[in-house]
Amino acid sequence: MPLYKTINFSPTTRILIWEITESFEELLGKVVLKEKTQLRLNGMKSEMHQRAFLSVRMLIQEIGFTDHDLHYDEFGKPYLSPNKCHTEPVEVSITHSHHFSAIIISEETVGIDIELQREKIIRIADKFVNEKELNRLQRFDAEDYIKKLTVKWGAKEAIFKIRNEKGISFKDHIQVNPFEIGDKETIAFLEMENIQQQFCIYFEEFQGFTLVYAFEK
Ligand SMILES: CC(C)(COP(=O)(O)OP(=O)(O)OC[C@H]1O[C@@H](n2cnc3c(N)ncnc32)[C@H](O)[C@@H]1OP(=O)(O)O)[C@@H](O)C(=O)NCCC(=O)NCCS
């Protein structure tokens, strides 16, 4: 299946989700890759990873860019160079999880993450949420608890992708305000050394996955 969903969040921000049902060959036949990308693709061990990577190029093509416009900085953060259709600079963030991939493009500073909702997250909660956040989470409804932890994890990943900085601890430096799943948005704070920054977090669920995206405030 091609494009799974487009979220026209605002006139300057769009989110696109791809459901990866195509074979590797099918996807490869539909994208134009630069040599550097082809080499990276060849080096990937898992075919699912390769398909996800190619599906991101499909998403990039959907918004009028090609793989030739997509680059990475030394830490792996993606960026788009302006082309004939898009002369203004835009931000991009990329995520893939199992058979879904997504991008967000915006004139604002943004990060995105997709996570599969899994029970396992309960066991690792204390690795990425601090005591204050844990205490504020109601744990009597296991499904709700898993969903909220997944939003928190996704929010922290999305913020990490915005900051793109070594030394950020999800547990010690990023705090996500309390929220209900139905709220679909919350606020998060990054506090470390001399950095104090606020982020607007948006989230939604589909097919057992959680999509989270963050904007720098
Ligand atoms: C790099 C990282 C953000 C990727 O996230 P992930 O959930 O594993 O994977 P996703 O599929 O959501 O994201 C992968 C994409 O993120 C992007 N990315 C990679 N490094 C990045 C960086 N430094 N900054 C911003 N974006 C980055 C890339 O576009 C990549 O996909 P691509 O290379 O195929 O284009 C993640 O692995 C990471 O390092 N997280 C922070 C470390 C940490 O503190 N973890 C746990 C603490 S308990």
Side-chain angles (χ1 to χ4, degrees):
M1 195 177 129
L3 195 56
Y4 176 73
K5 189 173 180 179
T6 301
I7 303 167
N8 291 310
F9 180 81
S10 74
T12 55
T13 302
R14 264 203 296 167
I15 295 108
L16 289 88
I17 306 173
W18 194 275
E19 183 174 10
I20 310 156
T21 56
E22 305 84 348
S23 67
F24 172 79
E25 289 74 21
E26 214 176 320
L27 287 164
L28 191 62
K30 286 183 180 158
V31 293
V32 180
L33 303 179
K34 58 179 179 288
E35 198 188 340
K36 199 173 174 183
T37 308
Q38 186 66 59
L39 287 173
R40 202 177 149 200
L41 182 72
N42 295 346
M44 289 174 185
K45 292 195 180 86
S46 127
E47 199 200 60
M48 193 60 233
H49 188 196
Q50 290 180 315
R51 286 161 70 204
F53 185 76
L54 289 172
S55 73
V56 168
R57 272 67 203 164
M58 297 292 281
L59 289 171
I60 293 292
Q61 289 181 181
E62 286 282 337
I63 53 163
F65 288 92
T66 71
D67 179 62
H68 289 271
D69 308 311
L70 180 63
H71 313 278
Y72 294 87
D73 75 6
E74 60 188 299
F75 305 108
K77 181 173 177 155
Y79 64 93
L80 287 166
S81 52
N83 64 16
K84 278 183 198 150
C85 300
H86 299 267
T87 49
E88 294 300 317
V90 282
E91 290 255 345
V92 67
S93 183
I94 294 171
T95 182
H96 23 73
S97 178
H98 300 264
H99 59 289
F100 283 102
S101 64
I103 60 168
I104 183 168
I105 56 152
S106 179
E107 287 176 17
E108 295 179 62
T109 306
V110 285
I112 194 166
D113 194 54
I114 290 181
E115 293 293 332
L116 178 64
Q117 296 163 356
R118 282 186 288 195
E119 211 181 318
K120 184 183 137 196
I121 201 164
I122 295 176
R123 275 189 278 125
I124 57 162
D126 67 338
K127 303 264 186 299
F128 70 94
V129 287
N130 60 46
E131 221 162 284
K132 196 172 168 193
E133 288 180 292
L134 263 183
N135 291 340
R136 285 162 146 188
L137 282 167
Q138 307 267 6
R139 275 170 252 179
F140 53 83
D141 179 341
E143 198 184 320
D144 185 67
Y145 185 46
I146 291 167
K147 287 181 172 185
K148 284 180 179 166
L149 284 175
T150 311
V151 170
K152 279 186 185 273
W153 175 269
K156 292 180 187 211
E157 285 278 11
I159 290 170
F160 177 85
K161 287 179 183 176
I162 289 178
R163 292 294 313 191
N164 183 22
E165 219 164 55
K166 276 190 178 168
I168 295 182
S169 154
F170 282 12
K171 180 171 175 165
D172 300 331
H173 301 138
I174 307 176
Q175 177 147 325
V176 182
N177 271 5
F179 57 86
E180 293 304 324
I181 288 300
D183 294 345
K184 294 182 179 254
E185 60 180 86
T186 184
I187 299 284
F189 300 88
L190 171 71
E191 284 185 336
M192 62 183 289
E193 290 147 22
N194 48 4
I195 305 166
Q196 276 204 324
Q197 214 177 354
Q198 205 173 323
F199 298 86
C200 294
I201 307 294
Y202 295 87
F203 53 89
E204 60 182 79
E205 302 180 329
F206 60 93
Q207 295 193 25
F209 287 80
T210 300
L211 170 76
V212 187
Y213 44 102
F215 294 83
E216 207 173 54
K217 253 196 143 184

